[in-house]
Amino acid sequence: MSILFLYDYIVNLSIFSLFVSTPLVIRSYINHRPLKLLRLWVGIYGGLVSIVLVILAVKQQGFTYDIRYAPVILIFAYLGPVPGLITGFFSLLVRLYTGGNWTPAIVGWAIIMVAFSLIHAYISHLSPLKKSITLFGAYTALYIFTVFTYHILTDQPLFHGQYLLFVMLGVLLGTLLIESNERVRRMFTEKKHIEQTLEASESKYRLIAENTSDLIMIMDKDLSISYFSPSHETVLGYKEFVLEGTELCKFVHPDDVLMFLTRIKNMFEQFESHSMEFRFKHNEGHWIEFESRCMPVKADCGNIAHIVIISRDISERKKAEEFLLQSEKLSIVGELAAGVAHEIRNPLTTIKGFIQMYKKENPSIRYNDLLLSELERIETITSELLSMAKPQAIQLISTDIKELIVFTIEFFSPQALLRNIEIKLFCEESTLLLTCEKNQIKQVFLNILKNAIESMPNGGEIHINLHKDSENECVIMFKDQGSGIAEEMLPRLGQPFYSLKEKGTGLGLMISHKIIKQHHGHITYQSKINEGTLIEVRLPLTVE
């Protein structure tokens, strides 16, 4: 009989654990919004479980053992008085239906419900596990009080002990199942939250890496690159598979390789971040200047495993710095030019006058003409200095650019004829109107054409091409067949006192640059030694 009793006991607890576990398992598999009136439905479910537990009660030697109060205690502990009262009401109904002695049953049930509600208000800050233990202790005390008050089987302490043990095991089993499920759910929720955080963080970093104009790369200890940001293709024109796994030094300017390798090796050895500037080769062959911030990344062992290199194209900044330096030079040169020109002109006029008088008195002296020629050259230089230094009164008028070109060609025709040079003009448009200061633009064309003629001592052809481009700009191209200019010298053209001619000052080309800039245009050069020079001037046309 004892074996059957134990078997019924285990079956009853197993069924109870099944009822407790079922909603928990279902909730873990179904991802849905929180159920409306959750406490009401859980209270009803707990009441139904109580009914089933009473039906499956263990009977032994005329005594009945059930654990209908186990779900009542658990629901009070986890969800509060309202669902607990609903479950308790169902347990009372099934108790009245299946047994007699209604008065002690109702009174005992009422005392327990009131006590549970009051106790819950005082222990609401405790964890559900501690609430369950506290409520079971209160239930035990109230049960014993009811037994002695109504003299219910007071001579059968073993029955009451086994009943309380049965309820206690039910409460413990239910609490363990719920807490285990909650712990697993929390772990799963935390894991999911961590995964979502990591995914969001990775997405943000990917978004930054894939859309930034900065170049981001990761260098390994063997100096190979394991990661290139997509911006490398945008800025440098290389596909990712071309760069990945290759040594970065192959793309660094030869003059910068030693500095680059020295800095990188120091970072691997000294664990220090460094900034440096170096030139990186574009896929098309030209070099781009970058400013790079290099940060070593430690591995778990403490050694440097990688170096993260973040590079930014500073070509425009370099141009701006160069432009600022050039502006400062021009400002200083202008101030000096104004002072020097005024100081030179007065004594120069006096010297020139006396030499002319001396020439009339002594015409046989052969050096007079040479002296006068050099003095005229000094006068020309001082005039150029003054025109550069002082602001010119600008009168903008609508001018046909073709007429200015034709005038320039006619002006130099005698000189070109003497040097065996033919000037050819090609114009696609009949009229190209430009709002400009006519004399200043004329001066630019005179300077350019004069330089072209002087660069062709053996004669040849000068081609002038005049046309309108798609951006409503007038493009004037001067192509000579002269001696040409070395490519590294082209950036210095237009700087004050920089000239490739033996007696040149560089002021004419500098003034030309200044005039073109004032008219919101720009001038560019293309040249190779012994292949001539191409000068392109772009000026905005008059908007009709």
Side-chain angles (χ1 to χ4, degrees):
M1 292 295 291
S2 59
I3 296 176
L4 290 176
F5 173 73
L6 183 62
Y7 174 77
D8 290 339
Y9 197 67
I10 294 172
V11 169
N12 206 285
L13 288 176
S14 300
I15 292 173
F16 174 64
S17 65
L18 177 64
F19 278 116
V20 173
S21 302
T22 299
L24 300 176
V25 173
I26 292 174
R27 186 183 65 171
S28 65
Y29 280 101
I30 299 177
N31 185 18
H32 56 75
R33 295 179 180 177
L35 185 66
K36 293 181 179 180
L37 302 175
L38 175 65
R39 295 175 183 274
L40 172 64
W41 292 111
V42 172
I44 294 173
Y45 178 79
L48 296 175
V49 171
S50 297
I51 293 173
V52 173
L53 292 175
V54 171
I55 295 173
L56 298 175
V58 178
K59 296 180 175 58
Q60 178 69 23
Q61 296 179 355
F63 300 114
T64 302
Y65 301 89
D66 65 69
I67 52 174
R68 64 181 182 275
Y69 271 100
V72 175
I73 294 172
L74 291 175
I75 290 176
F76 258 99
Y78 281 91
L79 294 175
V82 174
L85 289 170
I86 295 172
T87 301
F89 180 72
F90 275 87
S91 67
L92 174 63
L93 290 180
V94 72
R95 164 67 181 82
L96 297 178
Y97 178 77
T98 57
N101 298 324
W102 282 22
T103 300
I106 294 173
V107 172
W109 177 86
I111 293 173
I112 291 173
M113 292 299 102
V114 171
F116 279 9
S117 299
L118 293 174
I119 292 171
H120 186 274
Y122 285 99
I123 63 173
S124 58
H125 61 283
L126 299 178
S127 65
L129 177 61
K130 291 180 179 180
K131 289 179 184 177
S132 299
I133 296 172
T134 303
L135 291 173
F136 175 76
Y139 174 74
T140 301
L142 293 171
Y143 177 83
I144 294 173
F145 172 77
T146 305
V147 166
F148 284 102
T149 300
Y150 290 96
H151 304 287
I152 302 172
L153 301 176
T154 53
D155 58 339
Q156 299 291 334
L158 182 61
F159 164 76
H160 298 297
Q162 287 180 336
Y163 173 75
L164 290 174
L165 178 64
F166 197 16
V167 175
M168 182 188 72
L169 290 175
V171 171
L172 289 177
L173 182 61
T175 302
L176 289 174
L177 288 173
I178 294 172
E179 287 298 315
S180 299
N181 182 271
E182 284 297 305
R183 179 170 293 184
V184 171
R185 188 183 65 82
R186 281 194 297 269
M187 290 173 60
F188 177 77
T189 303
E190 289 175 2
K191 181 183 176 183
K192 190 173 181 180
H193 177 69
I194 292 171
E195 289 175 351
Q196 289 175 346
T197 304
L198 288 174
E199 186 177 348
S201 177
E202 184 181 350
S203 177
K204 289 178 182 177
Y205 283 117
R206 190 185 301 115
L207 184 67
I208 294 170
E210 291 180 355
N211 294 280
T212 183
S213 58
D214 292 346
L215 308 184
I216 303 173
M217 60 183 81
I218 299 176
M219 175 179 283
D220 298 331
K221 209 160 187 178
D222 59 355
L223 304 185
S224 63
I225 305 299
S226 57
Y227 172 77
F228 282 93
S229 62
S231 51
H232 282 77
E233 182 176 352
T234 305
V235 178
L236 295 171
Y238 294 104
K239 297 289 185 182
E240 185 178 348
F241 66 87
V242 175
L243 294 173
E244 195 164 343
T246 60
E247 289 189 15
L248 189 62
C249 297
K250 294 180 180 179
F251 302 96
V252 177
H253 195 283
D255 296 342
D256 301 334
V257 169
L258 182 60
M259 176 274 297
F260 179 79
L261 288 176
T262 303
R263 294 281 183 88
I264 293 297
K265 287 178 181 177
N266 287 340
M267 276 186 276
F268 276 114
E269 293 172 0
Q270 300 175 8
F271 303 168
E272 293 181 358
S273 300
H274 284 288
S275 294
M276 57 181 163
E277 294 182 7
F278 61 89
R279 287 162 289 181
F280 207 93
K281 190 175 184 181
H282 193 276
N283 191 32
E284 296 177 357
H286 60 275
W287 300 95
I288 301 178
E289 291 192 68
F290 287 96
E291 180 182 54
S292 299
R293 178 70 178 170
C294 307
M295 293 160 287
V297 179
K298 289 185 179 181
D300 295 336
C301 60
N303 295 326
I304 299 298
H306 310 283
I307 291 179
V308 178
I309 303 175
I310 303 175
S311 305
R312 176 166 295 178
D313 183 357
I314 57 171
S315 303
E316 292 301 321
R317 192 184 80 187
K318 289 285 186 181
K319 288 179 182 178
E321 290 174 354
E322 188 176 341
F323 176 77
L324 181 61
L325 182 61
Q326 185 75 0
S327 299
E328 291 176 355
K329 284 183 181 179
L330 290 174
S331 176
I332 295 170
V333 168
E335 292 176 8
L336 287 172
V340 170
H342 282 295
E343 293 297 327
I344 290 176
R345 267 194 162 184
N346 293 331
L348 187 64
T349 304
T350 304
I351 294 170
K352 185 177 179 182
F354 276 105
I355 290 176
Q356 287 173 342
M357 289 174 57
Y358 187 73
K359 180 181 177 182
K360 289 180 181 180
E361 294 173 0
N362 301 280
S364 60
I365 298 177
R366 60 176 181 173
Y367 296 112
N368 287 333
D369 291 336
L370 179 60
L371 290 172
L372 287 171
S373 173
E374 292 301 317
L375 287 172
E376 286 176 0
R377 173 171 166 73
I378 295 174
E379 268 190 329
T380 302
I381 292 173
T382 55
S383 298
E384 288 180 344
L385 286 171
L386 281 173
S387 66
M388 176 190 65
K390 70 177 182 180
Q392 304 292 318
I394 298 177
Q395 295 181 353
L396 299 178
I397 59 173
S398 183
T399 305
D400 186 357
I401 200 72
K402 185 178 178 182
E403 289 182 2
L404 293 181
I405 297 290
V406 171
F407 170 82
T408 307
I409 294 172
E410 290 176 353
F411 181 83
F412 281 108
S413 290
Q415 187 176 348
L417 188 60
L418 288 173
R419 292 175 176 261
N420 195 27
I421 295 172
E422 184 179 0
I423 303 175
K424 295 182 178 181
L425 174 63
F426 302 92
C427 185
E428 298 177 0
E429 306 286 340
S430 58
T431 303
L432 288 171
L433 296 178
L434 181 71
T435 303
C436 64
E437 212 293 328
K438 186 175 181 180
N439 291 325
Q440 287 189 351
I441 297 298
K442 189 187 298 181
Q443 183 182 354
V444 172
F445 295 155
L446 287 170
N447 286 335
I448 293 174
L449 205 52
K450 179 174 178 289
N451 289 337
I453 291 172
E454 291 177 354
S455 72
M456 299 170 60
N458 300 322
E461 294 180 351
I462 298 176
H463 294 187
I464 303 175
N465 189 296
L466 181 62
H467 66 275
K468 175 183 176 182
D469 73 350
S470 58
E471 297 180 0
N472 199 37
E473 285 185 335
C474 176
V475 181
I476 310 105
M477 303 174 70
F478 298 84
K479 178 71 172 74
D480 64 50
Q481 296 175 347
S483 55
I485 306 169
E487 190 174 349
E488 62 270 13
M489 295 180 179
L490 291 176
R492 297 191 61 188
L493 294 178
Q495 293 183 5
F497 303 113
Y498 178 77
S499 176
L500 300 174
K501 294 183 287 187
E502 185 179 351
K503 294 185 178 182
T505 62
L507 297 177
L509 206 52
M510 188 191 73
I511 293 170
S512 298
H513 275 252
K514 183 178 178 182
I515 292 171
I516 294 298
K517 184 181 175 184
Q518 286 175 345
H519 285 78
H520 307 290
H522 54 273
I523 182 169
T524 56
Y525 305 91
Q526 294 180 29
S527 185
K528 290 185 179 179
I529 297 294
N530 298 324
E531 293 185 12
T533 301
L534 172 65
I535 299 178
E536 182 180 279
V537 178
R538 287 178 173 266
L539 292 165
L541 290 168
T542 302
V543 179
E544 298 179 359

